[in-house]
Amino acid sequence: MKYKFGIILPIILISYFLILLDNSVVFTSTVQIANSLHMTSQSIAWITNIYALVFGSLLLLGGRLGDLYGRKPVFLTGLTIFTLFSLLVGLAPNGLLIIVMRAFQGIGSAILAPTSLALLLDTYEGKKREKAISFYGVTAGLGASVGLIIGGLVTTFYSWRLGFLINVPLGILLIMLTILFVSKSKTQLHVHLDYIGSILSVLAILSLVNAINGAGHKGLFIGIFIALLIIFLFRELKIDNPIMPMAIFKDKERVSAYIARFFYIGSMFSFFFLVPQVLQKYYGFTPLLSAFGFMPETIPQFLFGMLQSKLSNKYKNENLLLFGTIVTFIGVLMLFGLDLKHGYLISVALPMIIIGIGQGFSFGPLTVSGVANTPKELGGATSSAVNVFHQLGSSILLSVVVTLTAGITNVITAYHYQTFLMAILMLVPLLMAINIKRLHRK
């Protein structure tokens, strides 16, 4: 069955892809940015950290704004902020300005990411919605790996600035298309924004991200996070219009999908972060060559992601999700089991192909289950939850894997333990996929 999605779906997918692309470009550009702007290793880390802090802490608020004030104006606001500050990051003359502009870019992304998914939920229904979410999931999976390649190309052959400036013409085009083709949705102007809950959520996630990425006082920030989280949850249960309605956690399939996403993204983000280092340290790849070294993962992920979106008409979402997590788990086990001495093609490229196939089948169904049975008034809240668990999974679990293996100096030994931990993390989404299958049987 063929579906006509119109112009709305491309607007949503391209806007979401730009956010993901932007983050990956930074990974491959930090050395050139540091040299260009004479930044220290401590200050260069803030280009990534400040973005993660702002983006992660404002996701709940960003999603809820669309529920209250309408998707179109909030989506346009996010697009405008992201596009404007992409331009200013690309033109930044010094380190301080690029850090400040990255913070504002994080605000735009925090509005754009959940609102784009909520807009998709508002626009499409039934099987058409499920197929659109599959494309969204493919985009989520491709953003990181394609971003590494584009970042490597831009940094090597031109300038890191182009990696940010490329967002500007695309952002302007998306703004024009949104004004012309996205219709206005109903607002809930009689309902007031939960300002205290918003502040508590921002401070709580800010404390958590700082505990993960900060330079010191990690124990203190974890304590602050736990205290703020308890206060936040207690308040959200008591008020009529919470920033994070507890109703989004009443559906067992959504909760299972959130947990699965947290651990799946944690394992895969560790894969994206650690494998390029092994390619460079052990096999002597250049940064550009290590980016291209991900092609055995990127190509299957795209091809099988598109296949999964076609198969979603024939096979149930829970079956595709279970298959995808099993295949991904097998690929990670292969990374763990194959000795690096067998060479790149056997030890890395072959497992990458399996992981790419697994990701192609997993990302779409994970997102479908993450927004399953969502009423329209909670579209922004559930979309925020998907993005929050995605963001926190990547930050927290990567930090855990890196911390637990930080004292190991031998490259082969460190890689062995890192891939073992990634396999352990992948067990959780596998169990959650089995649980989602069980729920549908009932």
Side-chain angles (χ1 to χ4, degrees):
M1 184 185 295
K2 290 187 176 181
Y3 298 107
K4 292 183 178 179
F5 292 101
I7 194 67
I8 308 298
L9 187 59
I11 291 171
I12 292 167
L13 297 184
I14 295 169
S15 65
Y16 188 50
F17 183 75
L18 286 180
I19 298 171
L20 300 166
L21 180 69
D22 191 76
N23 224 9
S24 292
V25 165
V26 173
F27 290 154
T28 51
S29 304
T30 48
V31 174
Q32 197 184 80
I33 294 171
N35 293 334
S36 172
L37 301 179
H38 309 292
M39 298 176 71
T40 64
S41 57
Q42 289 82 8
S43 61
I44 200 75
W46 275 103
I47 294 176
T48 300
N49 289 349
I50 195 69
Y51 180 87
L53 282 166
V54 175
F55 180 50
S57 62
L58 293 177
L59 272 170
L60 285 177
L61 176 60
R64 197 65 177 133
L65 287 173
D67 286 340
L68 299 180
Y69 304 115
R71 306 282 181 236
K72 183 173 182 176
V74 174
F75 186 74
L76 276 171
T77 301
L79 259 179
T80 304
I81 293 170
F82 181 79
T83 304
L84 174 61
F85 286 98
S86 291
L87 173 65
L88 295 177
V89 169
L91 298 176
N94 57 58
L96 177 60
L97 270 178
I98 197 173
I99 291 168
V100 173
M101 296 306 108
R102 280 285 285 169
F104 281 99
Q105 207 182 17
I107 295 173
S109 297
I111 297 170
L112 207 50
T115 309
S116 63
L117 181 54
L119 181 60
L120 185 153
L121 298 181
D122 287 354
T123 307
Y124 307 106
E125 293 182 352
K127 277 287 181 182
K128 197 172 184 179
R129 175 194 280 188
E130 199 167 301
K131 196 167 183 67
I133 295 172
S134 291
F135 287 125
Y136 190 91
V138 171
T139 305
L142 280 174
S145 51
V146 173
L148 287 172
I149 295 169
I150 292 176
L153 286 169
V154 166
T155 304
T156 303
F157 296 110
Y158 190 68
S159 167
W160 63 267
R161 295 183 186 275
L162 184 60
F164 296 100
L165 294 175
I166 199 172
N167 294 335
V168 179
L170 289 171
I172 293 170
L173 176 62
L174 289 172
I175 290 167
M176 292 169 61
L177 291 174
T178 302
I179 292 169
L180 290 172
F181 295 106
V182 175
S183 57
K184 289 184 178 179
S185 59
K186 290 182 180 179
T187 59
Q188 301 178 39
L189 293 178
H190 61 286
V191 179
H192 296 291
L193 183 66
D194 174 19
Y195 293 103
I196 296 175
S198 300
I199 293 168
L200 286 170
S201 72
V202 169
L203 292 176
I205 298 179
L206 203 64
S207 300
L208 178 60
V209 178
N210 203 61
I212 297 162
N213 295 325
H217 307 292
K218 294 193 175 187
L220 174 63
F221 281 111
I222 288 172
I224 293 171
F225 163 71
I226 293 169
L228 288 171
L229 180 63
I230 292 169
I231 297 168
F232 171 72
L233 292 175
F234 183 77
R235 175 182 170 76
E236 298 301 280
L237 286 166
K238 294 293 183 182
I239 65 171
D240 294 329
N241 182 45
I243 190 76
M244 189 178 73
M246 292 296 117
I248 67 175
F249 298 109
K250 287 183 178 178
D251 187 274
K252 291 180 180 179
E253 181 177 355
R254 286 201 300 263
V255 172
S256 296
Y258 296 152
I259 296 168
R261 195 177 196 93
F262 181 86
F263 284 92
Y264 191 98
I265 295 300
S267 180
M268 291 300 96
F269 207 81
S270 300
F271 165 73
F272 284 123
F273 182 79
L274 296 166
V275 172
Q277 295 182 37
V278 169
L279 295 180
Q280 292 175 57
K281 289 178 182 177
Y282 187 79
Y283 293 116
F285 283 27
T286 63
L288 178 61
L289 191 58
S290 65
F292 276 104
F294 266 83
M295 294 296 280
E297 179 272 336
T298 306
I299 294 171
Q301 185 187 338
F302 174 74
L303 293 176
F304 285 90
M306 299 306 293
L307 176 63
Q308 176 271 316
S309 69
K310 290 181 180 180
L311 293 175
S312 63
N313 294 326
K314 188 175 180 180
Y315 298 99
K316 292 180 179 178
N317 185 70
E318 61 271 22
N319 294 331
L320 293 170
L321 176 58
L322 182 56
F323 177 75
T325 50
I326 289 171
V327 173
T328 309
F329 180 62
I330 291 169
V332 175
L333 280 179
M334 288 174 68
L335 275 182
F336 166 66
L338 290 171
D339 197 302
L340 288 173
K341 292 176 182 177
H342 293 305
Y344 164 75
L345 288 177
I346 299 296
S347 301
V348 181
L350 182 60
M352 273 186 174
I353 293 170
I354 306 302
I355 290 171
I357 294 170
Q359 288 176 340
F361 277 98
S362 298
F363 277 113
L366 260 181
T367 309
V368 170
S369 289
V371 295
N373 314 311
T374 300
K376 272 200 171 183
E377 65 274 13
L378 293 178
T382 52
S383 300
S384 291
V386 168
N387 281 281
V388 166
F389 280 92
H390 187 112
Q391 178 74 10
L392 293 182
S394 64
S395 298
I396 294 172
L397 297 181
L398 172 61
S399 178
V400 169
V401 171
V402 170
T403 302
L404 290 176
T405 57
I408 306 170
T409 55
N410 183 278
V411 174
I412 296 176
T413 307
Y415 179 75
H416 187 71
Y417 281 108
Q418 287 160 354
T419 50
F420 174 72
L421 290 170
M422 285 160 56
I424 296 294
L425 294 177
M426 271 304 304
L427 280 172
V428 179
L430 182 57
L431 292 172
M432 290 300 105
I434 292 168
N435 187 51
I436 290 171
K437 171 84 173 172
R438 183 185 62 82
L439 291 170
H440 279 272
R441 277 181 181 169
K442 283 187 177 181

